[in-house]
Amino acid sequence: AQKVTQAQTEISVVEKEDVTLDCVYETRDTTYYLFWYKQPPSGELVFLIRRNSFDEQNEISGRYSWNFQKSTSSFNFTITASQVVDSAVYFCALSEATGGGNKLTFGTGTQLKVEL
Amino acid sequence: ETGVTQTPRHLVMGMTNKKSLKCEQHLGHNAMYWYKQSAKKPLELMFVYSLEERVENNSVPSRFSPECPNSSHLFLHLHTLQPEDSALYLCASSQEGDRLYEQYFGPGTRLTVT
């Protein structure tokens, strides 16, 4: 069975601090995809990144960066110079590619609060 | 309209009512999903439709009944709900192919069962 663990329930930082959100996953599949989503107070989940299991290159997009390490089954997300607008719940998810459709297994999310 | 839309955004219903949630995607995708998000719990996948056929039903009680009349529309029919069914119901869509693509979510319907 697939599982995604986000051990950090809530993180509070002061604006301009860097913050890393942890994600650890479990799967028996050799081919899988990992995702990060942001859920602001409005409720809509916003897609941030998709990474397949064969691509371990780290990725940077503006203030966001992701560190994928298969050896530790982790896919961590770092926000550099955090801003108040980054306040949201962030979800890590793992995909299962069987039987049609893309079945995502989500972690429980990390609530990030960025304060002035 | 763009992306994934859901109506209504908020719904309050009694346990004996019958109501329906509607989802529409404007992205040309061929797979659609219903999720339930309760407080302090991970998002729970309820139903998956791929090419308008239901391919997943995660032991969801029969008081929830999905319908996918075409690739752009998805409904969730509700009847005889319980207070513990109060949650945010999220619809999502994705493009299915030889790769796995990300799902795009709607804003959700906040359901309260009284």
Side-chain angles (χ1 to χ4, degrees), chain B residues 68-106:
Chain B
C68 186
N70 55 61
S71 60
S72 298
H73 294 86
L74 185 64
F75 295 89
L76 188 62
H77 304 299
L78 316 171
H79 66 94
T80 325
L81 294 191
Q82 304 298 311
E84 60 265 29
D85 297 323
S86 298
L88 181 67
Y89 288 85
L90 291 160
C91 173
S93 70
S94 69
Q95 184 59 36
E96 184 154 333
D98 56 353
R99 300 172 56 188
L100 288 181
Y101 295 94
E102 57 275 13
Q103 293 177 22
Y104 289 88
F105 285 80

Side-chain angles (χ1 to χ4, degrees), chain A residues 10-48:
Chain A
E10 187 172 320
I11 301 175
S12 290
V13 298
V14 176
E15 203 174 36
K16 297 185 183 177
E17 283 186 9
D18 298 346
V19 58
T20 295
L21 310 181
D22 298 332
C23 173
V24 175
Y25 62 92
E26 296 175 27
T27 180
R28 293 181 180 174
D29 292 346
T30 55
T31 302
Y32 53 89
Y33 286 76
L34 295 160
F35 303 80
W36 275 96
Y37 283 87
K38 173 183 179 180
Q39 187 176 37
S42 60
E44 181 173 345
L45 272 80
V46 178
F47 165 73
L48 297 178

Side-chain angles (χ1 to χ4, degrees), chain B:
Chain B
E1 296 270 22
T2 58
V4 181
T5 58
Q6 289 186 245
T7 54
R9 294 293 308 276
H10 300 272
L11 178 63
V12 179
M13 60 186 288
M15 290 190 284
T16 58
N17 290 158
K18 290 184 180 181
K19 296 286 185 183
S20 296
L21 309 185
K22 179 183 176 182
C23 175
E24 185 173 359
Q25 59 96 1
H26 309 268
L27 300 168
H29 289 163
N30 56 15
M32 296 188 77
Y33 311 79
W34 279 116
Y35 288 87
K36 176 184 178 182
Q37 186 177 29
S38 305
K40 309 296 183 186
K41 293 176 70 174
L43 274 82
E44 301 171 56
L45 178 64
M46 299 176 72
F47 300 104
V48 179
Y49 276 83
S50 174
L51 301 174
E52 300 162 42
E53 287 191 23
R54 190 191 307 181
V55 296
E56 185 79 16
N57 176 355
N58 278 350
S59 301
V60 179
S62 59
R63 57 186 183 269
F64 295 91
S65 174
E67 178 190 0
C68 186
N70 55 61
S71 60
S72 298
H73 294 86
L74 185 64
F75 295 89
L76 188 62
H77 304 299
L78 316 171
H79 66 94
T80 325
L81 294 191
Q82 304 298 311
E84 60 265 29
D85 297 323
S86 298
L88 181 67
Y89 288 85
L90 291 160
C91 173
S93 70
S94 69
Q95 184 59 36
E96 184 154 333
D98 56 353
R99 300 172 56 188
L100 288 181
Y101 295 94
E102 57 275 13
Q103 293 177 22
Y104 289 88
F105 285 80
T109 295
R110 175 71 62 186
L111 174 66
T112 302
V113 181
T114 61

Side-chain angles (χ1 to χ4, degrees), chain A residues 80-101:
Chain A
T80 304
S82 60
Q83 300 176 3
V84 172
V85 294
D86 296 327
S87 297
V89 181
Y90 291 85
F91 291 94
C92 181
L94 171 68
S95 68
E96 178 181 7
T98 56

Side-chain angles (χ1 to χ4, degrees), chain A residues 104-115:
Chain A
L104 290 177
T105 300
F106 283 86
T108 51
T110 297
Q111 170 86 57
L112 174 65
K113 294 184 179 179
V114 182
E115 299 166 335

